[in-house]
Amino acid sequence: MSGFHHFQTNGVSDPVPEKHRIDETFQCFWHWPQCQDLHCNDFFYGYNLSRHLQEKHGIHGSDKDHVFCLWNSCYLELNKESLTRHVEEKHLKIVHPCGCGKEFSRRDTLNRHRREKQH
């Protein structure tokens, strides 16, 4: 575990986005539907994000079901299959490094790079 990361909740973006690894600990800023002024606040490892969303926030159903991202009042509508990837990339700023030194915001892009470059 590299450390814990608390993100600003005032909606102001950092001029230079931080980069984080999937094995770091994060605080959940998923808003409770019953009260938009409160968020979850649970802690989880980045690699457990999907399980956290399923178990704590009831994100279930078909991959093609439409869901709303309730992370810090994002409200983006997307397919369920894209939610974890969206939160990792846009909200947690997780990067997936390759041994060659390149970093990718998406795990599937890293895997494609490794196949093509035979890393």
Side-chain angles (χ1 to χ4, degrees), residues 18-30:
E18 294 183 50
K19 296 178 187 177
H20 300 286
R21 294 178 10 171
I22 196 116
D23 63 348
E24 294 179 35
T25 305
F26 297 91
Q27 183 177 9
C28 181
F29 282 96
W30 193 266

Side-chain angles (χ1 to χ4, degrees), residues 31-39 73 75:
H31 280 160
W32 292 111
Q34 305 89 332
C35 182
Q36 292 301 309
D37 294 333
L38 298 177
H39 46 78
S73 301
Y75 298 114

Side-chain angles (χ1 to χ4, degrees), residues 29 31 36 69-76:
F29 282 96
H31 280 160
Q36 292 301 309
C69 176
L70 299 182
W71 193 277
N72 211 16
S73 301
C74 174
Y75 298 114
L76 178 70

Side-chain angles (χ1 to χ4, degrees), residues 43-95:
F43 297 98
F44 62 92
Y45 289 104
Y47 52 77
N48 285 334
L49 172 62
S50 182
R51 182 177 356 161
H52 175 80
L53 292 173
Q54 290 171 1
E55 292 176 0
K56 298 292 183 174
H57 304 292
I59 305 297
H60 299 287
S62 165
D63 283 347
K64 300 300 179 190
D65 284 351
H66 286 239
V67 297
F68 287 93
C69 176
L70 299 182
W71 193 277
N72 211 16
S73 301
C74 174
Y75 298 114
L76 178 70
E77 184 177 9
L78 59 162
N79 289 341
K80 185 184 82 63
E81 68 183 343
S82 302
L83 181 61
T84 299
R85 187 172 52 233
H86 164 77
V87 173
E88 282 184 3
E89 182 179 353
K90 300 298 181 187
H91 302 297
L92 302 182
K93 310 246 188 273
I94 291 175
V95 294

